[in-house]
Amino acid sequence: MSVKERKERERAERERLIVATARELAEQQGWDAVTTRRLAERIEYSQPVLYSHFRGKREIIGAVALEGAAELAAAVRAATAAADGPRERVAALARAYLDFAARNPAVYDALFQLDGGLAYAQEDTPEPLKDAFAALLECLAEVAGDGVHPGMFTEVFWAALHGLATLTRAGRLLPEDAEPRVELLVDRLAMV
């Protein structure tokens, strides 16, 4: 291995450590607790080293969001692949999405609530974000219905899931009604 390759590998490893540490800290204490000073202390590197990877917290949030998008896409695809039939796939998608949001609140915030400097629904949208949407679209396109644009249907279904995830986390919805909500969403919105 050349010196250049070793340095690139070490740089990539430092970047992964920064993102993992930021994510861990955010999940434990919230995004307000994630500061460059605190990250530098936790990873045992100086703040200038952190800034050599990320210009600031916004870019770190963006990196966590991209990592989370890949994980969300994988979770949705795994859940829908294991389900038989359109209705079961849509229900599995909804459950996987809501479970991801509940298990990863800081990552979910990085993806959908905080400014990570990422473009959404644009030509320059990063590939992991496009792929997360594609994972939803792959399942939902088959139930969009005649004359309904599959992408738009996916956006509306996603918005409903986001609302359920956000309101549940905020304690605005009764937790014991989570499954009936999924059933209602699948039966009435997806009508499968």
Side-chain angles (χ1 to χ4, degrees):
M1 175 180 300
S2 73
V3 171
K4 181 181 177 187
E5 290 171 329
R6 181 181 53 79
K7 287 185 181 221
E8 287 174 2
R9 188 186 70 212
E10 289 171 355
R11 180 173 175 75
E13 185 55 40
R14 270 193 314 272
E15 194 165 297
R16 280 191 293 276
L17 178 61
I18 293 165
V19 171
T21 304
R23 183 176 173 166
E24 178 183 313
L25 187 57
E27 291 292 1
Q28 291 171 352
Q29 300 176 31
W31 279 103
D32 287 342
V34 179
T35 64
T36 53
R37 181 191 306 178
R38 196 176 250 171
L39 285 174
E41 289 170 1
R42 284 209 176 191
I43 66 172
E44 298 178 347
Y45 283 102
S46 68
Q47 283 183 312
V49 169
L50 244 108
Y51 285 116
S52 74
H53 291 274
F54 300 99
R55 285 183 288 204
K57 183 176 176 177
R58 181 178 186 221
E59 283 189 3
I60 294 169
I61 290 169
V64 170
L66 293 176
E67 189 176 271
E71 291 170 13
L72 176 60
V76 165
R77 285 189 174 111
T80 58
D84 291 325
R87 185 189 189 291
E88 292 75 18
R89 279 191 290 280
V90 174
L93 176 150
R95 288 184 195 105
Y97 184 98
L98 295 170
D99 183 58
F100 178 87
R103 283 184 297 105
N104 305 284
V107 173
Y108 192 81
D109 284 350
L111 267 166
F112 302 120
Q113 304 286 92
L114 301 174
D115 179 10
L118 303 173
Y120 286 77
Q122 307 292 323
E123 287 199 25
D124 61 340
T125 297
E127 199 53 44
L129 298 178
K130 288 179 182 179
D131 189 52
F133 185 78
L136 300 175
L137 180 63
E138 289 161 11
C139 175
L140 295 170
E142 72 178 314
V143 299
D146 293 338
V148 177
H149 187 278
M152 189 177 295
F153 179 78
T154 300
E155 289 171 348
V156 171
F157 198 90
W158 170 29
L161 288 173
H162 177 69
L164 289 175
T166 303
L167 291 169
T168 298
R169 186 164 139 208
R172 304 295 196 270
L173 301 175
L174 294 173
E176 60 268 19
D177 290 338
E179 186 57 28
R181 276 188 213 96
V182 167
E183 295 297 322
L184 181 62
L185 182 63
V186 171
D187 290 339
R188 300 300 175 135
L189 188 57
M191 294 197 289
V192 285

